[in-house]
Amino acid sequence: MNDAVRPARWLGGVALALAGTLLVASCAKGNDSVTTGAKGDAAAVGTQTPSVSAHGGHGGHGGTFSAPPAAPLRPSERFVNVKLAEPYRPAAPAGGTDEYRCFIVDPGVTEKAFLTGSQFLPQNSAIVHHAIIFRLDPDKVQAARDLDAKTPGEGWTCFGDAGLEGSGWVGHWAPGANETLLTEKVGYPMPPGSRLVMQIHYNLLASRGKPAESDQSSMRLRLTDGKTDLKPLQTGQLPAPIELPCTAQESGPLCDRDAAVKDVVQRFGAQAGETVTGLNEFCNKGKPPVAGTTQHCDTKFPAKATIYATAGHMHLLGRSIKIEMNPGTPKARTLLDLPSYDFDDQAIRPLPKPVDVKPGDVFRVTCTHDAGLRRQLPALQGLPPRYVVWGEGTSDEMCLGLLVMSPEETPRA
């Protein structure tokens, strides 16, 4: 989950424009796709009444995680395992309870290859909230090494994205998001000499942001030998704002929106405030934000593309998420509908059949959140009530739709 929305950002290499060009993480079975570790197709997921247990979420594995068995290798594929060079003990900056840390790993790619699958393996799932995997092209690797070298400790702090220009989203993990294999001939390009950056979101609510446990996560990559050309994949991101007020039973200083936004900026930096402002300007056409439990955002697609899979990401207050294409028109269709969002089931969901997109098609992501869950979830109890806006922390919220796709053209900035 690249968990940030910034002005002037290309989304997954495609301008899914926010404020002209605005920007940010999470992975069921379709007729044309094979999935491991998923729970069924989009129509079958989340039909039960929402429950508190579906939002208990974080730390539910007791600090251990077991991935399902890997599907067999397909022709020209091989497994490559990478891991953090040494255990890392996270500590949240600025008085917060979350740290985003980026680490360089070397997949050893010396010839042309494609990434066709990946399984992130959190060594300590009691503190690993999610992870996003970015590809670095060879000409960007030295900049990453320099950033790593000048930052104390292993890796570097990276709220929002990898903190490096030219990094592309090629994989992610959140609870329930295990390796998903597409049967179409597609993959993320891996040029010779490229590296990966593992951005790991550490949730330190239990220790109130202080260093406690360590983590040495790893990842199993599925790489092709590059002898067969595959259609290149990209990950597109569809964010919507969060404007969730305190409940009628709650009160406190952070129930004021301005105070809540200042608090997010204090914990995550100026880009956090830019995200909140930019989302409202784009999605609400510059009108004042309207508080409510449900928010949506429409994004006009700029290029031809084929969409193979979708996913949705929210945090612990999330109740439902939906991705629609051309809503309110005769061509309307629903690509993802999770009426009972489960934080522990953030699987990528392959579409029953790939969907072709043309310039001008509109995508709408809609999310519903429930501030009342704050009083019921052990992970959030004891925290001050707040007006919730888009934020990077586990106690903040997001509304993010993801599209796994192959654009036919890449627009220029």
Side-chain angles (χ1 to χ4, degrees), residues 34-219:
V34 178
T35 307
T36 62
K39 291 189 176 182
D41 60 25
V45 175
T47 56
Q48 74 277 15
T49 302
S51 66
V52 173
S53 62
H55 300 72
H58 213 60
H61 302 292
T64 61
F65 171 79
S66 297
L73 289 169
R74 299 171 297 188
S76 82
E77 289 182 336
R78 68 185 187 277
F79 286 132
V80 174
N81 296 311
V82 295
K83 66 185 298 185
L84 302 189
E86 58 187 56
Y88 178 72
R89 190 178 301 276
T97 56
D98 300 87
E99 181 179 15
Y100 282 54
R101 197 76 175 182
C102 282
F103 308 90
I104 305 173
V105 294
D106 185 359
V109 177
T110 58
E111 298 180 347
K112 176 183 175 183
F114 287 88
L115 180 68
T116 53
S118 61
Q119 176 66 64
F120 180 79
L121 302 166
Q123 185 264 326
N124 188 344
S125 62
I127 59 175
V128 176
H129 178 279
H130 76 261
I132 302 174
I133 313 306
F134 297 95
R135 183 200 64 228
L136 283 180
D137 287 340
D139 62 341
K140 308 297 182 183
V141 172
Q142 189 57 50
R145 289 173 175 161
D146 293 343
L147 182 57
D148 191 8
K150 72 180 184 181
T151 304
E154 186 75 12
W156 62 91
T157 298
C158 53
F159 291 118
D161 55 22
L164 298 160
E165 292 297 325
S167 56
W169 182 332
V170 298
H172 61 273
W173 177 87
N178 297 307
E179 183 180 53
T180 300
L181 302 180
L182 299 173
T183 59
E184 295 82 10
K185 296 184 181 300
V186 295
Y188 291 96
M190 293 291 294
S194 57
R195 300 289 191 274
L196 296 175
V197 173
M198 296 167 60
Q199 182 205 53
I200 303 178
H201 173 186
Y202 291 110
N203 165 35
L204 304 177
L205 275 171
S207 63
R208 290 298 183 256
K210 304 301 182 183
E213 303 177 54
S214 65
D215 170 67
Q216 191 174 14
S217 291
S218 61
M219 185 165 52

Side-chain angles (χ1 to χ4, degrees), residues 224-236:
T224 70
D225 59 16
K227 294 179 181 178
T228 302
D229 273 334
L230 303 182
K231 199 170 182 179
L233 286 176
Q234 295 181 359
T235 302

Side-chain angles (χ1 to χ4, degrees), residues 328-354:
T329 74
K331 300 182 295 181
R333 63 189 304 171
T334 298
L335 302 184
L336 176 72
D337 188 8
L338 302 180
S340 297
Y341 175 78
D342 184 346
F343 181 85
D344 289 324
D345 181 21
Q346 299 186 55
I348 289 175
R349 288 166 165 81
L351 297 172
K353 182 178 180 181

